[in-house]
Amino acid sequence: MMSLSAEQRREYRAIAHNLKPVIIVGDKGLTENLQEELDRALNDHELIKIKVASQDREARQEAINALCEASGAEVVQTIGKIAVLMRRAKKPNPKLSNLLRHKN
């Protein structure tokens, strides 16, 4: 997996600024259904926000890392309970992909 450059991170953060979280990790943690939903969201949108409802900072970070590892996504940014994840789709859908829809 290749790492994002500072310029790419800046660009993706700007795109993600107006996005709403599409995945919310609740008390049940990383269930199989949640992983499937995350995979679908990343395939559709490429750049997504997730919210981890845990009060414990370390638990939130572990959950985000586990989600990234399971899905092959990369963390663009984490602020509080919200994380921005990015994974390029093999065949991005121009109507759904946040990366394609926000290109200048």
Side-chain angles (χ1 to χ4, degrees):
M1 164 143 324
M2 100 184 187
S3 186
L4 296 172
S5 71
E7 190 175 310
Q8 286 173 310
R9 285 186 192 280
R10 197 169 27 256
E11 179 185 344
Y12 296 153
R13 282 197 308 260
I15 293 170
H17 181 73
N18 293 320
L19 299 179
K20 302 269 186 267
V22 292
I23 303 284
I24 297 175
V25 182
D27 301 335
K28 293 185 178 149
L30 312 177
T31 63
E32 194 175 313
N33 288 342
L34 185 111
Q35 303 252 352
E36 288 172 14
E37 191 59 29
L38 174 68
D39 207 45
R40 185 203 56 74
L42 284 165
N43 281 336
D44 287 351
H45 304 296
E46 296 186 287
L47 184 74
I48 63 170
K49 271 187 183 176
I50 63 167
K51 180 175 183 175
V52 182
S54 171
Q55 295 297 324
D56 180 24
R57 181 180 296 180
E58 287 175 14
R60 282 196 306 262
Q61 196 55 52
E62 284 174 19
I64 291 165
N65 291 341
L67 285 171
C68 287
E69 206 169 294
S71 66
E74 197 160 338
V75 176
V76 176
Q77 177 181 36
T78 308
I79 298 177
K81 296 181 180 186
I82 305 290
V84 177
L85 304 183
M86 195 279 297
R87 183 183 76 192
R88 293 225 175 255
K90 288 173 182 64
K91 294 181 185 170
N93 181 336
K95 290 187 174 88
L96 295 175
S97 169
N98 289 320
L99 296 179
L100 294 178
R101 288 186 315 158
H102 294 84
K103 284 281 181 207
N104 297 347

